[in-house]
Amino acid sequence: MNPKIEEKIAQMRCENRPVKQIAKKLGVNRDDIEAVIKKWISYTDNYLKELVKNRKVKNPKADPGLIINMTSNVEELLKNDDVLDYIALHMSDYHDRLMDCIRYKIYAYLKQKNK
């Protein structure tokens, strides 16, 4: 998929938009959007598991939405306790919009780092 479209999908997930709405707005097939999100999941799963392995969640009600949308530096994001707690708690929820947003940012970061 076109990286610009992928970026738009991620941005809309960060804005808490459902796949159906994204598909309609971008004129992209829902299945294609789901495939892109699945790609992010498979690319980031092991990294995230390592990141939060043995983590004791401090704030089970963590809502890092604002932090995630304001911070573009992924390394900075991954030092934030609320973000890490959220990842630890929601990593296995593959329909969580904020997790999709986090995954995309990490996906883009890892892709860049592995160049």
Side-chain angles (χ1 to χ4, degrees):
M1 179 168 284
N2 176 333
K4 286 280 179 224
I5 301 255
E6 199 169 335
E7 210 174 291
K8 283 205 182 312
I9 292 168
Q11 182 185 345
M12 292 176 84
R13 286 306 266 179
C14 290
E15 294 166 357
N16 205 14
R17 304 262 192 261
V19 169
K20 187 177 179 181
Q21 186 181 8
I22 296 169
K24 193 174 178 182
K25 183 157 183 162
L26 298 180
V28 178
N29 187 320
R30 271 182 75 159
D31 292 339
D32 293 340
I33 293 172
E34 294 286 353
V36 166
I37 293 171
K38 280 188 178 97
K39 177 179 76 173
W40 301 341
I41 290 169
S42 64
Y43 199 89
T44 60
D45 243 8
N46 289 335
Y47 181 84
L48 290 176
K49 280 180 186 147
E50 275 304 305
L51 190 66
V52 296
K53 188 168 70 177
N54 302 326
R55 179 169 182 81
K56 298 267 184 273
V57 173
K58 297 177 183 108
N59 181 4
K61 298 208 183 315
D63 180 8
L66 196 61
I67 300 157
I68 288 164
N69 284 314
M70 289 178 66
T71 309
S72 58
N73 182 334
V74 173
E75 290 170 0
E76 192 100 352
L77 263 183
L78 299 179
K79 289 178 188 157
N80 183 290
D81 277 337
D82 280 353
V83 172
L84 292 171
D85 284 351
Y86 194 86
I87 291 170
L89 291 167
H90 298 271
M91 197 172 87
S92 57
D93 181 353
Y94 296 128
H95 298 282
D96 186 293
R97 297 170 190 171
L98 199 50
M99 267 312 295
D100 289 347
C101 176
I102 293 168
R103 284 180 188 284
Y104 175 77
K105 289 181 183 239
I106 292 171
Y107 168 78
Y109 168 75
L110 292 176
K111 285 287 240 201
Q112 190 65 39
K113 212 168 94 166
N114 292 333
K115 272 189 176 175

